[in-house]
Amino acid sequence: MQQRIWYLNQNWRVCSGNEHSPRDFHLSGIPEEGAVCADLPCFAHMALEDHLGISWYEKRFRLQELPEAGFRAVLRFESADFRCVVSLNGSILGEHLGCSDPFSFDVTDRLLCGENRLTVRI
């Protein structure tokens, strides 16, 4: 089967969620104030000095076209430390518990032609 692979490791925004942790993070995205740019893989304390606790990561990316009929789009993470909630375009994809194990979500029906917003709360 033919595959297309896109790497989304570059230019993520990262911020502390300790002070700002609303339940609707997946709807509104992460706050602009205090966010820094980082490339993944990156623990939040590597981008945010002296950070411990809740971290938010956000990536915006554009698609020129959606997957063709019969093809699936899978979002794959190499790891996240420890409790991770992932959303795409305001819709929670799921939660992952673990440290060093890869995990993935089928995002075929949640992708948009144009801008997409991936938000991860760890």
Side-chain angles (χ1 to χ4, degrees), residues 1 5-6 9 21 33 42 47 57 65 98 103:
M1 177 190 287
I5 299 175
W6 290 276
N9 298 46
S21 194
E33 185 178 324
C42 172
Y57 294 76
E65 58 187 39
F103 58 99

Side-chain angles (χ1 to χ4, degrees), residues 43-71:
F43 292 106
H45 69 271
M46 296 167 73
L48 302 167
E49 190 173 330
D50 298 325
H51 174 72
L52 294 173
I54 297 169
S55 308
W56 290 356
Y57 294 76
E58 185 172 276
K59 171 75 175 175
R60 293 179 187 259
F61 61 97
R62 296 188 64 77
L63 292 178
Q64 299 301 322
E65 58 187 39
L66 296 175
E68 296 175 30
F71 286 85

